[in-house]
Amino acid sequence: MSAYPDLVRHDVLKLVPADGQVIGSIGCHRGATEAELIKRGRQVHGVDINADAIAVAATRLTSARIVSPDDWHPFADASLDGLILADVMEHIPQAWDALACFARMVRPGGWVVISVPHMRNFSVLWHLILRGDWPEHDLGVFDRTHTQVTTRRRLERWCRAAGLVPEQWQWQYDAWTYAQYRRLRIVNALTGRLLNSWFMLQTQVRCRVQ
């Protein structure tokens, strides 16, 4: 089974708007987050490359199936009201092209919620610039399976190229735990949040499809 914990991503759910009945989720994992939308009466169709995770997601979601890593079109064009891409884009080679394909699966006026690691932060500064190293971790910014360096500015450029209009941005200290980054929160507050973006490990956005 994947190293990613089976936790509800409340940070992602905060970006999901009230509109949209038919929702897709690429990289849904076990579907813990998407299951919360099922409880609210939505239809959620998930895809993932992990067979063990999909076996669990199939018990929680409207539908769940395995896809290959290079499948950039798991849903039909304009078949979705909304799409969730929670920590997916950083794992995809040529992610900007993949995002353009994903956007076409959402009807005009629909939404896409995206979460990626924010790699312009003090953690990267410490390891890469000061120590001259790039660790390989199981989770987080230094996840060994990442193929992209992602930042808010880069994500914004990808969205524009894919015909997506950013509607709401938000920062996140960490996707999985609060306690681990409590010190970052305290130091950020003590510095008046003047260096806010340097303390953040996730950048997230909800876009509308033109």
Side-chain angles (χ1 to χ4, degrees):
M1 184 66 79
S2 168
Y4 293 99
D6 190 25
L7 297 175
V8 176
R9 292 285 302 277
H10 293 286
D11 56 318
V12 172
L13 290 174
K14 284 195 297 185
L15 283 174
V16 174
D19 63 289
Q21 179 65 19
V22 181
I23 300 168
S25 179
I26 297 176
C28 68
H29 196 48
R30 300 183 186 97
T33 301
E34 294 81 356
E36 294 300 305
L37 298 175
I38 294 288
K39 295 175 184 177
R40 301 174 190 178
R42 312 278 191 104
Q43 298 178 34
V44 184
H45 304 275
V47 297
D48 201 284
I49 64 173
N50 186 306
D52 292 333
I54 281 293
V56 177
T59 68
R60 295 171 167 175
L61 308 183
T62 308
S63 71
R65 58 188 173 85
I66 302 171
V67 293
S68 65
D70 58 353
D71 186 352
W72 291 358
H73 213 266
F75 303 105
D77 283 353
S79 63
L80 303 172
D81 300 318
L83 178 65
I84 297 173
L85 299 167
D87 293 277
V88 170
M89 303 308 300
E90 66 271 19
H91 297 275
I92 303 177
Q94 294 181 279
W96 47 92
D97 291 332
L99 183 58
C101 291
F102 296 157
R104 289 199 295 270
M105 300 183 299
V106 181
R107 62 169 177 78
W111 51 266
V112 179
V113 168
I114 307 171
S115 175
V116 296
H118 178 61
M119 297 181 180
R120 182 177 175 264
N121 63 61
F122 282 120
S123 179
V124 172
L125 181 65
W126 168 254
H127 284 286
L128 181 61
I129 304 302
L130 298 181
R131 298 185 65 241
D133 191 17
W134 189 274
E136 292 82 33
H137 294 166
D138 292 330
L139 296 171
V141 168
F142 299 105
D143 186 321
R144 68 186 75 242
T145 65
H146 290 171
T147 63
Q148 298 290 343
V149 174
T150 50
T151 65
R152 175 167 172 163
R153 182 171 293 181
R154 194 177 191 203
L155 179 58
E156 187 173 9
R157 187 173 71 249
W158 291 357
C159 289
R160 287 198 307 268
L164 299 174
V165 179
E167 184 176 65
Q168 180 180 338
W169 290 91
Q170 71 180 19
W171 295 109
Q172 183 73 14
Y173 286 95
D174 179 57
W176 306 109
T177 130
Y178 173 91
Q180 184 178 358
Y181 295 101
R182 187 172 295 161
R183 290 179 182 175
L184 286 181
R185 295 170 185 266
I186 293 172
V187 175
N188 193 18
L190 290 175
T191 56
R193 301 186 182 277
L194 295 176
L195 299 173
N196 186 65
S197 68
W198 285 92
F199 288 97
M200 298 301 161
L201 299 180
Q202 293 275 312
T203 184
Q204 302 167 327
V205 65
R206 179 177 71 240
C207 299
R208 290 287 172 175
V209 178
Q210 291 182 318

